[in-house]
């Protein structure tokens, strides 16, 4: 798989700082150049928020963080980098000058992406010696969570470079989409610009205030867009007759006065004051980093919900997250051979904000999640990986008994150990302990029964020999351990 080995971020503001966080959290050493006197503080805060978001996003093993360094010159920043991301302010002269300097200083094979929101790559690559490796990689804020980059080539960009860029984004959890042709504003900002223009008119004309406008989006079509975009949503809106009926019904509205799109609102001081004032009233009670954390937690929740979409296959950005996690698991170093003379440690967890319920404790189903993720880890340990599953075999859970013994609080570090109980043939019977790292207290246990299945035939079958050769020594070793306290219990109720 094509991978970025070392990254450079030229410009470390809202977008450059978040690109740096994306790279560093994917294990890529990254150098930043930004003349802002407080660049290190600002980027440090963005990285801290990004790390917090990743702790919530996935239990898959992230690689060790890449090294983040700050350069004093452009030449120092790009030295040794094979992906250079330009994210300086949106001015064509400034960007073209910076990109031309990057071109002169960098390895001629290094890819150069620009974060521009709408400037044509042809205009940016004009003065380069090696323009074929320059393209737009337009991200969305926050870059460390939203996975899309629009990849746009200019007249001199090589198609192979765009394909390479797309391939290099996949292992850092991003989806590169290559546009057929360059156009100002690309696809995303063309769409956002249309909405933005209308929104400015609606505020200027006192149709509603900023909070009402945001409510209209977030309680309605904003929720649809996150999972089906526009055309798939409107296909459904056409009912059984689908898209043709939708077009027939709503096509005429296009010529009704439903838009002021071609008129540009005059963004004069009065309108700026009005919007800024309403925005302060709407959101001013919270600081920007606080708002970022709320946004990130919500985005993580959406992606996790979408990961379970389409009957567990994953949908949209949730499918991408599932693929990213599969990549992380397959790239993780093989665990050190487990000491089978005692219960085996399978996984670590941390109680993050979305796990806490109205009682201020880890909510019930997160205990189950810890055990479910740990049973996946047990399966990986005995060789039941995604290749084995794709080839048509797996284990399915058929029964478990969960005991919740103590509260877990926000931020608690937790871990799970397993002991295999006597199992034969198609059965895999195990006992898990969930422990709190701070005092090693057992906060929950789970007794678990899985059956080995042929998913193609839809019936239970014995595991294949490769699995049995991993499983049998473990079962033999754990047969010598005492039966765990609580094993074999049922829900006991005094009568
Ligand atoms: N803010 C957003 O929502 C998005 C912005 N973008 C694009 O990303 C680019 C950067 O925008 P933001 O990060 O929002 O701006 P920003 O103002 O937050 O950051 C720009 C940074 O560039 C630094 N800078 C200025 N001149 C420089 C130079 N010669 N060398 C190195 N650093 C320099 C500044 O000190 C500043 O920290 C723009 O092209 C913008 O269109 C793309 C997607 C979303
Ligand atoms: C406002 N903006 C044009 C800079 C927005 C973008 O380019 C993408 C985004 O994150 O919305």
């Amino acid at each position: 798989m094509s991978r970025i080995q070392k990254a450079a971020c030229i410009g470390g503001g809202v977008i450059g700082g978040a690109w740096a966080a994306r790279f560093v959290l994917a294990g890529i050493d990254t150098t930043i150049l930004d003349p802002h006197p407080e660049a290190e503080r600002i980027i440090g805060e963005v990285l801290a928020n990004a790390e917090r978001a990743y702790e919530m996003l996935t239990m898959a093993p992230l690689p060790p963080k890449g090294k983040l360094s700050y350069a004093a010159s452009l030449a120092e920043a790009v030295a040794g980098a094979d992906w250079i991301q330009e994210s300086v302010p949106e001015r064509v002269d400034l960007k073209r000058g910076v990109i031309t300097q990057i071109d002169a200083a960098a390895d001629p094979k290094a890819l150069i992406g620009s974060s521009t929101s709408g400037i044509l790559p042809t205009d940016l690559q004009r003065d380069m010696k090696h323009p074929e490796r320059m393209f737009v990689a337009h991200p969305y804020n926050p870059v460390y969570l939203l996975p899309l980059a629009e990849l746009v080539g200019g007249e001199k960009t090589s198609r192979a470079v765009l394909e390479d860029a797309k391939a290099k984004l996949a292992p850092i959890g991003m989806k590169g989409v290559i546009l057929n042709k360059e156009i100002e504003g690309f696809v995303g900002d063309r769409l956002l610009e249309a909405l933005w223009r209308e929104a400015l008119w609606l505020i200027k004309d006192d149709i509603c205030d900023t909070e009402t406008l945001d409510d209209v989006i977030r309680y309605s079509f904003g929720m649809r867009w996150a999972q089906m975009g526009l055309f798939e949503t409107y296909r459904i809106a056409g009912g059984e007759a689908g898209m043709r009926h939708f077009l027939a019904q709503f096509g005429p509205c296009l010529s009704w006065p439903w838009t002021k799109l071609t008129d540009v609102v005059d963004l004069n001081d009065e309108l700026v004051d009005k919007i800024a004032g309403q925005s302060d009233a709407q959101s001013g009670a919270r600081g920007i980093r606080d708002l970022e954390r709320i946004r990130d937690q919500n985005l993580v929740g959406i992606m996790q919900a979408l990961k379970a979409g389409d009957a567990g296959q994953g949908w949209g950005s949730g499918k991408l997250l599932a693929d990213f996690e599969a990549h992380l698991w397959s790239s993780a170093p093989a665990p050190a051979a487990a000491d089978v003379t005692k219960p085996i440690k399978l996984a670590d967890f941390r109680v993050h904000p979305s796990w806490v319920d109205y009682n201020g404790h880890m909510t019930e189903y997160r205990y189950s999640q810890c055990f479910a993720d740990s049973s996946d880890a047990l399966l990986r340990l005995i060789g039941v990986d995604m290749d084995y599953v794709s080839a048509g075999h797996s284990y399915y859970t058929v029964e478990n008994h969960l005991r919740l013994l103590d509260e877990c609080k926000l931020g608690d570090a937790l871990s799970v150990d397993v002991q295999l109980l006597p199992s034969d043939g198609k059965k895999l019977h195990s006992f898990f302990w969930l422990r709190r790292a701070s005092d090693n207290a057992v906060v929950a246990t789970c007794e678990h029964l899985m059956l080995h299945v042929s998913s193609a035939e839809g019936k239970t079958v014995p595991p294949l020999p490769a699995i049995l050769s991993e499983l049998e020594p473990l079962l033999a070793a754990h047969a010598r351990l005492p039966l765990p306290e609580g094993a074999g219990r049922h829900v006991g109720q005094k009568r």
Side-chain angles (χ1 to χ4, degrees):
M1 187 182 277
S2 187
R3 284 168 193 266
I4 302 170
Q5 304 298 327
K6 183 173 186 299
C9 292
I10 309 302
V14 172
I15 291 303
W19 268 113
R22 169 76 76 171
F23 292 136
V24 165
L25 294 178
I28 299 166
D29 290 350
T30 302
T31 307
I32 298 187
L33 175 71
D34 193 308
H36 192 291
E38 292 197 72
E40 290 196 31
R41 176 189 61 78
I42 296 168
I43 292 161
E45 287 179 13
V46 171
L47 184 59
N49 267 1
E51 285 190 76
R52 183 180 170 280
Y54 274 47
E55 271 184 11
M56 296 187 273
L57 182 66
T58 183
M59 295 295 157
L62 291 166
K65 272 192 290 174
K67 187 167 155 263
L68 182 65
S69 48
Y70 294 87
S73 70
L74 190 134
E76 186 194 333
V78 303
D82 57 346
W83 182 298
I84 300 155
Q85 187 68 25
E86 170 277 309
S87 309
V88 302
E90 191 77 347
R91 292 201 327 262
V92 68
D93 56 334
L94 174 67
K95 281 188 180 288
R96 185 190 289 136
V98 166
I99 286 169
T100 307
Q101 284 177 52
I102 295 172
D103 184 45
D107 178 329
K109 289 209 165 47
L111 301 188
I112 303 176
S114 170
S115 299
T116 176
S117 296
I119 300 171
L120 295 181
T122 292
D123 290 337
L124 297 176
Q125 67 190 179
R126 191 187 71 187
D127 300 335
M128 295 173 71
K129 282 214 174 72
H130 300 285
E132 70 288 342
R133 44 65 176 269
M134 189 268 152
F135 52 90
V136 166
H138 177 235
Y140 286 76
N141 188 33
V143 185
Y144 52 79
L145 277 183
L146 293 190
L148 187 81
E150 289 173 276
L151 298 174
V152 193
E155 284 168 8
K156 297 178 190 162
T157 310
S158 131
R159 175 77 196 189
V161 161
L162 293 174
E163 297 291 352
D164 189 25
K166 179 176 168 162
K168 285 190 158 83
L169 289 174
I172 65 170
M174 292 188 82
K175 181 175 177 70
V177 292
I178 300 177
L179 304 194
N180 295 336
K181 293 187 216 172
E182 60 180 337
I183 181 175
E184 290 90 346
F186 324 124
V187 172
D189 279 340
R190 289 246 148 192
L191 298 171
L192 287 176
E193 185 73 6
L195 188 74
W196 175 231
R197 281 187 187 217
E198 279 299 344
L200 293 177
W201 279 114
L202 292 165
I203 303 298
K204 179 181 164 53
D205 294 345
D206 281 325
I207 308 299
C208 63
D209 60 11
T210 57
E211 185 168 356
T212 306
L213 192 139
D214 284 349
D215 283 349
V216 168
I217 295 174
R218 63 184 154 205
Y219 289 100
S220 65
F221 56 84
M223 293 173 72
R224 292 194 311 227
W225 281 352
Q227 48 85 47
M228 277 198 177
L230 186 64
F231 284 101
E232 202 158 48
T233 295
Y234 279 174
R235 181 183 179 82
I236 299 173
E240 289 183 5
M243 190 50 112
R244 283 184 191 285
H245 175 63
F246 182 84
L247 291 171
Q249 180 166 209
F250 296 106
C253 310
L254 293 168
S255 55
W256 299 355
W258 275 19
T259 177
K260 283 183 124 176
L261 212 52
T262 50
D263 298 334
V264 180
V265 74
D266 179 11
L267 210 51
N268 56 24
D269 289 351
E270 192 189 346
L271 183 55
V272 168
D273 287 347
K274 183 175 185 179
I275 292 172
Q278 289 183 4
S279 174
D280 286 350
Q282 177 186 350
S283 317
R286 298 179 192 266
I288 285 296
R289 298 280 172 254
D290 194 17
L291 283 172
E292 283 176 353
R293 282 189 283 273
I294 291 169
R295 173 202 63 191
D296 290 356
Q297 190 174 325
N298 293 337
L299 290 172
V300 165
I302 290 168
M303 283 191 269
Q304 284 176 343
L306 291 177
K307 199 177 104 178
D310 195 17
Q313 298 299 303
W315 184 265
S317 61
K319 169 88 174 68
L320 194 78
L321 175 59
D323 293 345
F324 180 51
E325 290 182 332
H327 161 75
L328 290 173
W329 281 116
S330 65
S331 316
D339 175 359
V340 295
T341 61
K342 56 182 187 182
I344 300 167
K345 182 172 166 192
L346 288 174
D348 292 299
F349 303 92
R350 188 171 291 278
V351 182
H352 53 67
S354 64
W355 289 29
V356 174
D357 66 13
Y358 48 84
N359 294 317
H361 310 142
M362 181 160 87
T363 200
E364 198 178 320
Y365 74 93
R366 296 296 183 180
Y367 286 87
S368 299
Q369 181 182 329
C370 291
F371 291 120
D373 287 352
S374 300
S375 64
D376 283 346
L378 171 62
L379 293 182
R380 280 190 295 275
L381 187 77
I382 59 168
V384 179
D385 57 16
M386 281 304 124
D387 290 340
Y388 189 77
V389 172
S390 310
H393 290 96
S394 190
Y395 275 94
Y396 292 173
T397 300
V398 289
E399 192 173 338
N400 62 34
H401 181 88
L402 184 67
R403 291 188 304 164
L404 308 188
L405 304 174
D406 203 351
E407 300 156 3
C408 300
K409 302 246 168 53
L410 177 66
D412 279 352
L414 307 171
S415 66
V416 170
D417 296 327
V418 69
Q419 178 177 330
L420 299 190
L421 302 180
S423 314
D424 52 24
K426 307 161 190 173
K427 291 182 191 151
L428 182 51
H429 190 181
S430 50
F431 193 89
F432 297 94
W433 294 265
L434 180 66
R435 285 198 170 80
R436 185 167 48 220
S438 59
D439 58 359
N440 210 32
V442 174
V443 293
T445 67
C446 182
E447 186 173 345
H448 199 83
L449 181 66
M450 292 190 271
L451 294 181
H452 189 269
V453 294
S454 157
S455 33
E457 296 170 79
K459 62 175 194 181
T460 57
V461 294
L464 298 188
I467 304 305
L468 287 174
S469 67
E470 298 288 338
L471 186 56
E472 281 167 351
L474 266 180
L475 282 167
H478 282 200
R480 291 191 274 276
L481 299 175
L483 202 61
E485 183 282 317
R489 263 191 61 151
H490 60 282
V491 178
Q493 197 179 341
K494 291 200 180 99
R495 290 173 195 272

